[in-house]
Amino acid sequence: MSDVEQVVDSQDRAATREVVILGSGPAGLTAAIYTARADLRPLVLEGEPSSTSDQPGGQLMLTTDVENFPGFVDGVTGPELMTSFRGQAVRFGAEIATRKATRVDLTSRPIGIWTGDPGAPEPDVRTHALVVATGARSLMLDVPGEARLLGHGLSTCATCDGFFFRDQPIAVVGGGDSALEEAIFLSKFASSVLVVHRRKELRASKIMQDRALANPKIAFLWDSVVEEVLGDAKLEGLRVRDVVTGAVSDVAVNGCFVAIGHAPNTALFAGQLEMDAAGYLATHDGTRTAVPGVFACGDVQDHVYRQAITAAGSGCMAALDVERYLEDVHHS
Ligand code: NDP
């Protein structure tokens, strides 16, 4: 067991932390860097490697090259970027435990966090302030080849990876606003964009439909579902099934973007924090939730921008909000 895990396991079981951060993507680790530099000795529960939705480092661990994060002239890989974030947080004294929260009690003061048996009577960690940076996950197709080729031609982020498909044929899966937005964006780079949708009607707003339908580079494959993502080391095509006729065919593309929606990782907070209909956390006045001492940043509260840089920015905001909150708590 690492020193850091002992922080959760024994040493500090009874002690109360100033701030605990749930999540280790750009939002959580930026909050860690800032709160560590403010001498608050943050504890980051970074998630667990076994879990796809809570893996340490967040969604960037699933991408290859990141070319739009400012400061990297020649780009950087997602995992390298997150390793740097992590190293920087640790350098200033953040403690990182490879654990995830299994239960939180936001009504108690200090706030209680369980990392093991959620039915245990006592929490494993208590904290004056909590930063929720648990992120969101892209919904996936759950078909053969998907896990193998994610980051190798299969992507969930056109803004991140579209540039790599200049003058190449690609596909987008989905029929909502995200899918059409991605298709329109990708049409600037790709030679052709095939939108594969499981029905004949699009879910997307009329304006997006009009734009996509009028775009000469975008074609539609209606009533079709992806049955398999093809290719060994890199994506070479999709096996699709026509849901009306049952016919199965292969489509040759070099890239495929899955855009069938996102889901925030907020199940832990059900009944305790305000969420919108899709489960994203509600924040006000910066990163505050309606519960004093609980702050939310990054994709868990943002379904609009969803970029590493915006997540990092809101992680910084959360840290500054935590500092102010703790000053008020300790001096009132
Ligand atoms: P949506 O839930 O709106 O759309 C998801 C799409 O993916 C649907 O067409 C759905 O098909 C399809 N889909 C879902 N599951 C599967 C599956 N397993 N296999 C194949 N296809 C599947 O999600 P979005 O991310 O597109 O949008 C989320 C919200 O964000 C919406 O409110 C949207 O309006 C908003 N948004 C707005 C934008 C803008 O205004 N510029 C841009 C992006 C998002 P089906 O239609 O059959 O259900």
Side-chain angles (χ1 to χ4, degrees):
M1 186 182 293
S2 72
D3 291 351
V4 155
E5 279 169 339
Q6 281 176 10
V7 169
V8 176
D9 270 349
S10 55
Q11 227 170 291
D12 276 20
R13 185 174 278 266
T16 296
R17 312 288 306 204
E18 287 297 303
V19 56
V20 170
I21 297 165
L22 304 184
S24 57
L29 290 178
T30 302
I33 291 166
Y34 273 75
T35 51
R37 291 191 78 250
D39 253 353
L40 295 173
R41 208 178 140 232
L43 171 65
V44 180
L45 301 185
E46 69 171 351
E48 289 175 9
S50 55
S51 157
T52 47
S53 61
D54 305 312
Q55 81 274 350
Q59 295 176 76
L60 275 183
M61 299 304 279
L62 303 176
T63 59
T64 47
D65 297 300
V66 178
E67 293 188 330
N68 55 7
F69 198 90
F72 295 87
V73 177
D74 299 316
V76 60
T77 70
E80 274 169 359
L81 184 60
M82 293 329 298
T83 303
S84 299
F85 269 63
R86 196 178 190 281
Q88 195 174 351
V90 169
R91 179 161 88 87
F92 292 114
E95 291 168 287
I96 301 182
T98 310
R99 292 295 178 87
K100 64 179 197 175
T102 52
R103 176 182 157 200
V104 292
D105 179 0
L106 307 183
T107 58
S108 66
R109 285 293 171 275
I111 291 161
I113 302 168
W114 283 252
T115 62
D117 175 8
E122 288 300 313
D124 297 286
V125 191
R126 295 180 195 276
T127 184
H128 292 298
L130 178 68
V131 175
V132 179
T134 48
R137 58 192 185 279
S138 297
L139 297 177
M140 298 304 291
L141 297 166
D142 199 18
V143 296
E146 182 175 63
R148 182 176 71 249
L149 294 165
L150 191 61
H152 302 280
L154 187 69
S155 171
T156 54
C157 177
T159 332
C160 317
D161 298 330
F163 188 75
F164 303 117
F165 297 96
R166 191 173 283 282
D167 298 327
Q168 299 177 49
I170 58 156
V172 172
V173 184
D177 279 324
S178 291
L180 296 196
E181 192 172 75
E182 305 257 275
I184 292 163
F185 176 79
L186 290 162
S187 71
K188 293 184 207 148
F189 308 100
S191 56
S192 64
V193 181
L194 182 67
V195 177
V196 181
H197 182 38
R198 64 183 178 183
R199 294 188 293 140
K200 222 182 217 63
E201 293 86 34
L202 292 164
R203 179 175 296 280
S205 54
K206 170 111 178 36
I207 184 163
M208 296 295 277
Q209 292 196 30
D210 289 347
R211 275 188 210 153
L213 290 164
N215 187 314
K217 277 196 187 171
I218 299 176
F220 289 84
L221 193 57
W222 303 110
D223 290 326
S224 296
V225 291
V226 175
E227 286 211 318
E228 187 174 348
V229 185
L230 306 172
D232 291 326
K234 67 182 183 58
L235 188 146
E236 288 166 9
L238 301 175
R239 182 153 297 155
V240 293
R241 180 169 52 86
D242 186 311
V243 292
V244 178
T245 66
V248 174
S249 58
D250 291 353
V251 181
V253 284
N254 293 357
C256 176
F257 292 78
V258 179
I260 60 172
H262 287 80
N265 299 318
T266 50
L268 194 61
F269 312 102
Q272 299 197 65
L273 288 179
E274 191 189 334
M275 301 175 193
D276 69 12
Y280 288 87
L281 297 184
T283 49
H284 66 92
D285 295 330
T287 62
R288 289 168 183 78
T289 68
V291 178
V294 181
F295 304 82
C297 54
D299 287 12
V300 75
Q301 51 83 57
D302 167 29
H303 60 86
V304 178
Y305 299 105
R306 297 199 295 240
Q307 300 299 302
I309 186 67
T310 51
S314 77
C316 162
M317 290 163 61
L320 299 177
D321 289 341
V322 164
E323 276 183 62
R324 285 182 198 126
Y325 170 79
L326 289 174
E327 262 170 42
D328 288 348
V329 166
H330 294 318
H331 295 104
S332 60

